[in-house]
Structure formats: C-alpha cells, structure tokens
Amino acid sequence: KNLAEMMMTYGYVYVAQVALGANPVHTIKVIKEAEAYNGPSLIIAYSPCVEHGIKNGMSCSMSEGKLAVDVGYTLLMHYKPEEEKLYLDSKEPDFERYEEFLNNEVRFKALKIKNENLANELLNLQKENAIKRYNYYKKLV
C-alpha cells in the first residue's frame, strides 16, 4: 500500500517522505513545514534497522538511505495541502542500480541464496513497481 498516496487523497493532510542519509536538508525542511502546518501531518521516513541486515553494518545506514533514494526504492517528496501541490524532491532514480541496493541487505540477499529464480522474479516485479510509482508521482507534479 502506498501510504503517502492514500493520505494525499484526503486533501488536507501534509505528507512527506524523507531519508536523512539521502538529503538531511530536505528532512529538516519538511519537518519544519509539517510542524508549522495547521492540520494533520504525516512524515514517512526511510529508516533502516538491524533486521535489514545492511552488508556493512548499521554504521552505514545513512549511505544505505541515500542508495535507497538513488535507485528509486524510496522517494523524497512532500505534499502541501494549502497549495494542493506535490513536490517530488528526488532526482531521477537510477533504476539500473536497483539490484545493487537489494543485494546490499541480507533480507533480500537471503532469498537469492535460497531460490535464485524466485528472487530474480520478485526483483523484477519490485523494480517495475518502483518505476511505476516514480512515474505516477511525476505525473502528479
């Protein structure tokens, strides 16, 4: 489910997606905007945890967040209901590197070890969904 999309349909909810490692300035900016908004606000933050199994450990969680945005796994955006406008703050993702991101985390890599065919099938589906989501947000902008 796309929580950001669902909340934007209400029309009066400030919505943002952030990843501190990808863009700290963006994160601070939307937190300030959300706090100042006179109504409900929702900030969805990409926040890796130890269960993700980041290849180089949790000390690399900031760079993992940047990679997640760079490849389109998650997006930076904010919706300002008072303007009825969505701002897509991510650069064009490099979807060709999507698998690099997935291989960086044990939670995805483990499936590839157990069942490579299924893992590749799911990778392609996930990548297709990420591309569709990005294109959908681009149209909304």
Side-chain angles (χ1 to χ4, degrees):
K1 296 190 191 242
N2 189 334
L3 182 59
E5 179 185 359
M6 289 188 317
M7 292 299 104
M8 285 188 295
T9 63
Y10 285 99
Y12 60 85
V13 178
Y14 179 93
V15 181
Q17 285 186 180
V18 301
L20 185 61
N23 190 332
V25 173
H26 173 262
T27 302
I28 293 166
K29 175 187 170 194
V30 300
I31 289 171
K32 286 181 176 181
E33 287 179 358
E35 185 178 41
Y37 176 64
N38 186 22
S41 297
L42 174 69
I43 298 175
I44 303 163
Y46 176 77
S47 307
C49 73
V50 70
E51 293 301 317
H52 287 192
I54 299 171
K55 185 167 51 175
N56 294 320
M58 284 302 293
S59 63
C60 296
S61 63
M62 295 291 271
S63 58
E64 190 70 4
K66 181 176 180 348
L67 183 58
V69 171
D70 288 348
V71 303
Y73 180 81
T74 191
L75 302 172
L76 304 181
M77 51 76 76
H78 65 287
Y79 172 73
K80 294 175 117 181
E82 65 274 21
E83 297 175 14
E84 295 182 2
K85 186 164 183 177
L86 173 69
Y87 295 88
L88 186 55
D89 304 307
S90 290
K91 295 176 184 171
E92 182 88 25
D94 182 0
F95 292 108
E96 294 305 312
R97 294 178 56 212
Y98 202 88
E99 188 171 4
E100 175 189 338
F101 169 75
L102 296 182
N103 287 335
N104 223 21
E105 297 188 6
V106 172
R107 64 187 177 140
F108 298 119
K109 186 81 172 162
L111 179 58
K112 199 171 215 175
I113 292 167
K114 290 181 182 178
N115 188 334
E116 189 170 358
N117 290 334
L118 177 60
N120 289 332
E121 181 182 332
L122 294 174
L123 163 69
N124 290 331
L125 286 172
Q126 188 174 10
K127 185 176 168 183
E128 285 174 27
N129 286 333
I131 293 168
K132 284 179 189 174
R133 182 182 61 239
Y134 179 74
N135 289 330
Y136 171 76
Y137 280 126
K138 254 176 54 172
K139 285 179 189 174
L140 289 180
V141 170

